[in-house]
Amino acid sequence: MATGVDVSAASSYAVLLHLLAISTIASVVEERSIYLILMEGEPVAFHGDVLSSQQGRRFDPKSEAYKVHANKLVDSHDQVLESTLDKGSYNKLYSFKHVLNGFAVHTTPSQAKKLQLAQGVKLVERDRRAKSMTTYTPDFLGLPQTVWTQEGGDRNAGDGIVMGFVDTGINPFHPSFAYDILNPLTSNLSHFSGACETGPLFPPFSCNGKIVSAQFFIAGAQAAASLNATIDIPSPADAVGHGRHVLWISHVASIAAGNAGVPVTVNGFYYGRASGMAPRARVAVYKAVYPTVGTLADVVAAIDQAVADGVDILTLSIGPEEPPQDTVTFLSIFDIAMLFARRAGVFVVQAAGNSGPGPSTVLSYSPWVVGAAASKTDRRYTASLLLGNGLNVAGVGLSAPTFGNGSLLYRLVLAKDAINLSGAFSRTPEYVEECQHPEAFDPNVVRGSIVICSFSAGFYNETSTLTAIFDTARVLGFMGFVLVANPSYGDFIGQPIPFSVSGALIPKVADAKIVSQYYEQQTLRDARGIVRQFNARAAIQDGRVASFGVQAPIVSRFSSRGPSFIDINRNPSDVLKPDILAPGNEIWAAWSPLSALDPILTGYNFALLSGSSMAAPHVAGIAALIKQKYPSWNPSMIASAISTTATKFDNNGGIIMAEGFNIGSLYSSNNFDFGAGFVNPTHAMDPGLVLSSEFEDYISFLCSMPFIDRFAIRAATRVWCSQSVGHPANLNIPSVTISALRRSLTVRRSFKNVATKPETYVSLAIPPNGTNITLRPPWFTIAPEGTQDLDIEINVIKSTNEFSFGEIILTGSLNHIVRMPVTIRPVSIV
């Protein structure tokens, strides 16, 4: 009996363990993810019963037909989920119904596989997550003297245009977004119908006329992670800064559409006045990325809503964290969402990415979106350390000078020579070299001194911070500090951020050695190496005063590079990316004092930031000015005007340079660095000729690609391949890119004269290495509103199997110049 009971108990216990093991394995394998699904059938915007006759808009979201069809789509999404997935196995996050027909669902991989087989489901894609990628730039771009003057000055530039921003929220109290009652916005916005959602830090009066709409999309973030209620605010409000993964709409929106002439004051110092590119444009906010996490589900839902609301320009300073795994880049749901935004008449600009300077690092792929690369301007902020021997060592930091502004010198002390020898703390670099902890120092040595801190393991691993140095300096009464490069870690990149104490970053090892040599020459040590007398002296000079006129633009090191690619294996595509170069390095713009993830910027209303996320709103603002002047132009015409008038030369007349892998290194840039070149808004307002592509042309482009399955195109776009452009390079865009040219190919470009007079153009081709180019006709005369085809015959004369670069230049008799970059990889002569 006893044995029987024991066996039974053991057996039950074993079964229980087995079931627990199965449950554990299942829970690991079946962890939920977010999936994006596209359905068969037209979304509301392109459904025949709801197309609108409103000028500038293809549909009316207020109409009864619109609402009926939208409800029908939502019901169909719910029916598919209920009939296909197990009860309790999923959570629907969104229904996409305006420019996409689909939904986002949080479920397991096995349930997602069921959806792939469900009737009416065309595409299932796993969410890849999303991340974020001024006082002077209007002047650097020539806007106040030219474009704004044409549009009636800064009191009118951008008026009547609604700019949508999909990002991380906005600070509604910032003066860049204030409504000016003395210069009221009176333009007709009947084409726009966005809502104003309220919530924490975003009261009802936040939508003040300058901000015309504000909405937030958080369902994906809530499903993907445990959110932090302090910073992941469920409202359109910003709560963080430019940390590792996030960027405020406040900064981006103020670059594109911030009010003109807003004073920039930080730590009591006046840096100038900030203005957006299109200061009279209205702002519509679509918060979709959060400090803890960003999901494509939220971003796609935001795009869907923004287009339905009627934005004219859509700025995406965000994008997927990686290329799609199971489909070509052009057919990801994110890129398809942008395609249908383009179909609805919205100009879309996207940050090219911040993963440069390596090749094929762009995160903007598709020809229906403008991808913006980032450059430096000719403005620099330079701090310096004046040594007692008269040498000035260059540094970085928006810092006030030490008292006396260089006329008084102070004791210079190396951090590890000032440690508290009796202190109970770890003798690690964080304490001994990096100035992170006040308790590590002898107060009598560092008080009133300039302390040399070293860039060591903590900064390299991103565990040490400048904020901690500031705190240490304040607690112990440093006169100032310098953070110097460490030979063990090499040069580091120093950005000019505001310092709340006097200080400077010295990011070059060579300069750090100058400081070290002077210090050691002046410092007396005993036989044990302990300092007996600190004789070195120094002063920190003002780092807040800008200098101008240096070589610019220069492609920023971080700016992502081409070639664009078609799949996860980075096989190159026949599309040039990035499209355009714009200011994106050290850009002043609006900030929010909360700055939850960037304590160093807490309390500031403005911040100086860098990234292609800063370049994109420059392009968006310029597009708004073009849209204001030419309201009937479609987005591809605006993109063409920006591209064909860009320049590849810097302010010294040489080819634009680009920063390389080694800090401080430069090389002559090419199309994969800057696209068509640096944006020139003055010429973009009067381009002479433009190229135009419509939705059907993009479908034909996709259908011409040899390695894309036609059923995949149908699933993503709901359009069958009825025609092809023959070769992808035949898409009528303002560049020619051929990723593998064998023998010969003739492509065609069609131009429209948007000038008011007839003009004669002479054609010139500068062929890439290994090719020759023949243009037909070699010259032509074109009437206003007339069109002209240009046949471009490209022949391989040498197989290099490497990309090389050229251009086609059309020079007009009325001084219009139209440039198209040419990028070819000749692979075979026969």
Side-chain angles (χ1 to χ4, degrees), residues 67 106 117 156 166 299 315 415 460 469 511 532 580 787 829:
K67 295 174 184 177
H106 191 225
L117 303 174
N156 190 52
V166 178
V299 170
T315 305
Y460 185 80
I469 296 181
D511 292 332
R532 293 305 179 193
I580 197 72
T787 60
I829 297 177

Side-chain angles (χ1 to χ4, degrees), residues 59 179 225 239 256 380 396 446 516 529-530 544 556 612 624-625 765 786 788:
F59 53 92
Y179 186 83
R380 299 289 187 274
V396 179
V446 298
S516 176
I530 297 175
R544 302 168 298 180
S556 298
S612 60
L625 297 174
Q788 174 67 50

